[in-house]
Amino acid sequence: MVDLIGVRKRYGRVVAVDGVSLSVREGEFFTLLGPSGCGKTTTLRLVAGFETPDQGEVRISGQGVNRLPPEGRPIGMVFQNYALFPNMTVFGNVAFPLRLRRLPERVVRRKVGELLEMVHLQGLEGRYPRELSGGQQQRVALARALAREPKVLLLDEPLSALDAKIREELRGELKRLQRETGLTALYVTHDQEEALALSDRIAVMRDGKVEQLGTPQEIYERPSTLFVARFVGIGTLVPGEAREGRFHRDRPWPVQVEGEGRGFILLRPEQLRPHPEGFLEGQVGLATYLGSLLRLEVETEGILLKVDLNPQEEVRAGDRLRLALPEAAPFIKEEA
Amino acid sequence: MRGLGWSFFTLFLLYLLLPMLAPVVYSFSRLWLDLLPEGFTLEWYARVLRDPKYLEAASLSLRIALLAVAINILAGVPTAYALYLWSDRMGEGLRRLLQVLPLLVPPLVVGLGFLLAFNRPPLALSGTFWIVVLGHAALGFPFFFRTVYAGLAGIEVRLLMEAAQASGAGLWQRLRHVLLPNLLPAVISGSLVAFAISMGEFEVTSMVAGFGTITLPLLLFQSLREDFRAASAVASVLLYTTLLALVGLSLARRR
Ligand SMILES: Nc1ncnc2c1ncn2[C@@H]1O[C@H](COP(=O)(O)OP(=O)(O)OP(=O)(O)O)[C@@H](O)[C@H]1O
Ligand SMILES: [Mg+2]
C-alpha cells in the first residue's frame, strides 16, 4: 500500500533519512519506532508529501507520488499537538475535508455524525477545540483525518501529549478503529511499549536507517542488533561466546544459541525463575515492588540480571537466590 | 514602601493624563481663568462642525488613514507571513530590523528621506496626497507588522496550514479558510494602531505634505494661533479617535 524505495532526505549536513526501503501492506498497522532524532517524523512527512526525497521513491497504492503535494495524496494525518482549527467547532473541523470535496451539506452532516460516533464524541459538535480536553481534541483530529477517507492514515506520536491514563485508553480505541475500518496505518512513536501493543509490524529506526523490521514478537524475542535489544523491552545483555550451539562464559551455560563467535545473549526478566537447582547463584541487590510484579536486580558472576517475580514472592534485598535460565536465548554478535 | 510606590505611580499617571485631558476640559468649557473651568458648552465643537475647512481636513485625514491601513494590510500580512515561514537566522534579523529601525529613526529624518526619495520622476510625489499616504503607511508599518507577526506565532500557523493541507486543502483554500480567519484579530488590532498613528501624525506630514493636503493635525497646528477654542475641540476629537481605536483593540484582543 505504501512503498518506500531507497528513500533519502538530508537537511544541510544532517542526513535525516538514509536510504529507507520498506513496504506497508494493505490494512496493516505499521510503526516506525526509534529514539529522538532517528528520522521517524521525516520518513512520515515524506509519505505525507510535506517533504520530497532527495533520492528514491515513495509509492502509494503502486502509484509514484514524489511529485504530488499532500493535498493530492490519498492520506489523512494526525499530529502530536492535535492541530485543530481554532476558528472552527468540532463539527467544522471534521466537516472541513468533506466540504473541500464540495459534498452536499446533507451528506456532510450525515458523515460528520458517523465519524463523531466512531470516536465517541456525539453531542460535542458545537464546542470549540479550546473547550475540549487533550484526549477529546485528539479524537476530533482522528475523525478529521478519517473524514478524508484516506488510503493511509499517518500518525506522528499522536498519544505522547496525553496523560498516561488517557493515552492507554485512546491507544486501545485507535487499534479497534483501525481494525474495524481495515485502514492502513503508518504510526510513529518513540515509545516501544506503544509500538508493541499497537503494531502488526514494526520498523526500528536508528540514524535514518531501518535497523530491524518485523512483527512485535520478532522484534522483542529476536532482536537482530544490540541497539534493538537495548531499545525494545527490558532485559540483560550478557557478554560471552557462542560455540557449538551453546553459550559460554568461563564455563558452558545450559542455554542454546544460534551463531558462532563473541557476542551477547539477551535474558528477559520474565524468563528467569528462582529454582533450588538453578544454574546461577546470586545476591539480590534491589527489589522493587511494581504492583503487578516484583522486579529484582540480582548480582551474579559479575553481571547484574533483571528478574521479574510474582509480587507475592517474599524476596528482599540481600537475599541469596538461585536462578534457572531459559533453554534458549537470542544471541547477538558483537558489532564490528 | 508600597505606599510610596503607589504615590509615585499616581503622580506619574496624573503627569501623563492631565496634559492630555486639559484640551478636553477646555473644549467643553466657556471660561477657564482660575484653577477650575466654568460653564459647560458645546459651542466650540459646533463651530468646528460648521466650518468646511475642518470638515475637509477631517475627511482628508480619514481617507489617508484608511489608505495607509490598506497598504499595511496588503504589504504587511504577506511580509509577516513570509518572514514567519523562513524565520531562520536571516529572517529573524530582518524582522528585528523591520520592527525597530523605523522607531529609532527621528521623524524629521524620515520626512526628509521621503522628500528626497519621491522628488524626481517617475516618483515625483512630493507635496501630493499620495506621499502623505505612503509616509503614514511606513510610520504605521512597524506596529502593524509586530502585531501580525505576534498573531502568526500565537496560532501555530505552520502546523495549522499543514493540517489543512493533509485534509486536502490547496493553497488558496488554506489561506482563505485557515490563515485569514485565524489571523483576523491580529490584523484588526494592527490596523487600528496604524489608523490611530495616521490620524494623529504631524511631524512627517508637515514636511512632506503640500498646501493642498492639510490634514486635521496640520490644521490644528495652524488654528492654534487664530482660534484656540476650536483647536482644543479638534485636539479632543483626535484624542477620541485614539481612544476608540484603543477600545476596538481590546475588543479584538478579547476574541
Ligand atoms: N526541517 C529540518 N531542518 C533541519 N534539520 C531537520 C529538519 N527536520 C528534521 N531535521 C533533523 O533530521 C533528523 C531527524 O529528525 P526527525 O524529526 O525525523 O526525527 P524523529 O525521529 O522524528 O525525532 P523525535 O522523536 O525527536 O520527533 C534530526 O537530526 C533533525 O535535527
Ligand atoms: Mg518526530
Side-chain angles (χ1 to χ4, degrees):
Chain A
M1 179 52 91
V2 178
D3 302 285
L4 301 186
I5 303 153
V7 172
R8 266 175 72 93
K9 175 76 191 175
R10 46 187 292 180
Y11 299 105
R13 231 176 281 147
V14 182
V15 182
V17 177
D18 192 1
V20 166
S21 296
L22 53 84
S23 294
V24 182
R25 300 176 193 137
E26 183 155 5
E28 186 175 41
F29 199 114
F30 193 100
T31 297
L32 301 172
L33 171 68
S36 185
C38 71
K40 310 178 293 287
T41 295
T42 308
T43 309
L44 197 73
R45 291 172 63 83
L46 283 162
V47 176
F50 290 119
E51 311 284 351
T52 40
D54 301 327
Q55 261 174 51
E57 198 178 0
V58 179
R59 291 194 193 146
I60 301 178
S61 312
Q63 187 202 353
V65 292
N66 275 13
R67 287 164 183 284
L68 284 181
E71 62 264 37
R73 300 189 183 190
I75 54 133
M77 187 144 172
V78 179
F79 300 81
Q80 180 174 352
N81 296 319
Y82 326 132
L84 296 178
F85 307 124
N87 58 318
M88 300 180 199
T89 59
V90 167
F91 185 93
N93 269 279
V94 180
F96 184 68
L98 301 166
R99 286 180 172 152
L100 287 175
R101 281 158 52 195
R102 306 197 179 287
L103 296 178
E105 202 53 28
R106 181 176 42 82
V107 180
V108 170
R109 210 160 301 143
R110 180 172 53 76
K111 291 203 170 194
V112 172
E114 288 168 8
L115 286 160
L116 288 179
E117 193 170 332
M118 244 157 70
V119 297
H120 303 307
L121 283 180
Q122 311 98 301
L124 297 185
E125 289 84 352
R127 295 256 194 111
Y128 281 90
R130 61 175 174 277
E131 300 165 343
L132 299 176
S133 72
Q136 290 171 328
Q137 289 189 51
Q138 199 56 299
R139 285 162 196 267
V140 178
L142 189 59
R144 181 181 64 184
L146 293 173
R148 208 183 159 190
E149 290 171 18
K151 286 193 175 144
V152 198
L153 185 62
L154 307 173
L155 308 106
D156 192 356
E157 313 223 9
L159 304 180
S160 55
L162 302 169
D163 297 342
K165 189 98 183 153
I166 311 278
R167 193 185 313 160
E168 201 152 323
E169 189 184 309
L170 207 51
R171 184 170 90 186
E173 252 175 70
L174 193 60
K175 183 72 189 163
R176 176 186 57 80
L177 248 165
Q178 187 264 341
R179 276 274 157 74
E180 281 174 8
T181 55
L183 202 62
T184 310
L186 182 54
Y187 190 93
V188 161
T189 182
H190 62 262
D191 182 338
Q192 47 94 22
E193 199 184 313
E194 204 170 282
L196 294 175
L198 281 170
S199 318
D200 295 316
R201 283 192 305 156
I202 300 172
V204 182
M205 289 186 68
R206 176 193 190 184
D207 294 339
K209 294 193 181 74
V210 174
E211 183 98 350
Q212 185 175 1
L213 201 159
T215 64
Q217 289 78 7
E218 283 164 358
I219 300 276
Y220 185 81
E221 290 167 13
R222 291 192 297 282
S224 61
T225 67
L226 284 178
F227 174 81
V228 176
R230 288 201 185 100
F231 193 74
V232 178
I234 292 169
T236 312
L237 285 162
V238 184
E241 197 177 346
R243 220 185 297 142
E244 292 154 4
R246 276 181 86 178
F247 184 67
H248 294 249
R249 196 187 148 74
D250 304 336
R251 53 188 172 136
W253 282 28
V255 178
Q256 293 171 23
V257 291
E258 278 169 31
E260 282 289 319
R262 300 206 61 78
F264 300 79
I265 49 167
L266 174 63
L267 296 175
R268 296 288 188 191
E270 67 275 10
Q271 294 176 319
L272 297 164
R273 294 261 150 257
H275 192 277
E277 284 129 50
F279 180 76
L280 296 174
E281 194 194 359
Q283 187 170 25
V284 178
L286 194 70
T288 315
Y289 177 70
L290 293 174
S292 61
L293 53 85
L294 184 66
R295 175 153 301 153
L296 309 180
E297 278 184 9
V298 180
E299 204 187 329
T300 171
E301 302 187 16
I303 339 161
L304 210 56
L305 286 173
K306 291 204 179 67
V307 182
D308 284 354
L309 299 186
N310 243 325
Q312 281 81 24
E313 302 265 0
E314 303 230 336
V315 180
R316 290 202 187 82
D319 289 358
R320 291 202 74 79
L321 204 63
R322 292 198 82 89
L323 290 170
L325 292 168
E327 269 172 37
F331 178 76
I332 303 150
K333 276 190 85 103
E334 204 157 77
E335 275 156 45
Chain B
M1 203 50 223
R2 252 179 88 169
L4 200 66
W6 275 110
S7 328
F8 269 111
F9 179 69
T10 314
L11 274 177
F12 187 66
L13 211 62
L14 283 175
Y15 162 71
L16 280 180
L17 284 183
L18 279 181
M20 275 198 246
L21 288 179
V24 177
V25 176
Y26 199 67
S27 70
F28 283 115
S29 62
R30 197 164 291 282
L31 263 176
W32 195 354
L33 300 173
D34 302 324
L35 187 62
L36 290 175
E38 295 164 38
F40 178 84
T41 179
L42 292 175
E43 192 187 329
W44 320 126
Y45 286 95
R47 193 190 289 174
V48 167
L49 279 178
R50 254 179 277 134
D51 190 336
K53 197 172 55 170
Y54 288 109
L55 292 183
E56 255 167 51
S59 120
L60 180 70
S61 276
L62 203 63
R63 269 181 292 148
I64 289 172
L66 289 177
L67 282 169
V69 165
I71 289 175
N72 265 315
I73 292 177
L74 290 179
V77 174
T79 311
Y81 187 54
L83 274 184
Y84 181 81
L85 282 193
W86 23 280
S87 60
D88 51 7
R89 213 162 301 147
M90 195 190 83
E92 189 63 13
L94 201 57
R95 180 175 72 80
R96 291 255 168 79
L97 199 71
L98 275 179
Q99 284 187 354
V100 173
L101 194 64
L103 302 180
L104 295 182
V105 179
L108 280 174
V109 177
V110 176
L112 187 64
F114 265 81
L115 279 180
L116 292 175
F118 295 103
N119 204 7
R120 48 204 133 229
L123 291 173
L125 293 177
S126 271
T128 67
F129 171 79
W130 284 105
I131 195 172
V132 181
V133 171
L134 289 177
H136 285 195
L139 288 168
F141 188 81
F143 299 95
F144 182 85
F145 177 83
R146 179 190 296 265
T147 315
V148 172
Y149 194 89
L152 283 168
I155 55 175
E156 295 188 282
V157 182
R158 217 182 305 230
L159 184 63
L160 290 186
M161 292 295 267
E162 284 189 352
Q165 207 172 1
S167 302
L171 180 63
W172 172 243
Q173 291 164 320
R174 298 200 290 278
L175 292 176
R176 180 165 136 56
H177 297 295
V178 176
L179 183 67
L180 288 186
N182 285 304
L183 201 56
L184 197 61
V187 172
I188 291 175
S189 301
S191 300
L192 285 169
V193 176
F195 180 81
I197 287 174
S198 169
M199 284 302 286
E201 214 291 323
F202 174 74
E203 287 171 281
V204 173
T205 318
S206 68
M207 288 182 72
V208 301
F211 295 112
T213 34
I214 305 298
T215 62
L216 208 49
L218 291 189
L219 186 62
L220 166 66
F221 190 68
Q222 285 177 6
S223 52
L224 273 181
R225 263 160 259 160
E226 314 150 11
D227 189 344
F228 211 66
R229 291 298 186 174
S232 71
V234 173
S236 305
V237 168
L238 286 175
L239 191 63
Y240 305 150
T241 319
T242 310
L243 287 179
L244 267 180
L246 259 178
V247 170
L249 209 61
S250 60
L251 283 182
R253 290 264 158 77
R254 196 163 312 154
R255 277 210 348 165

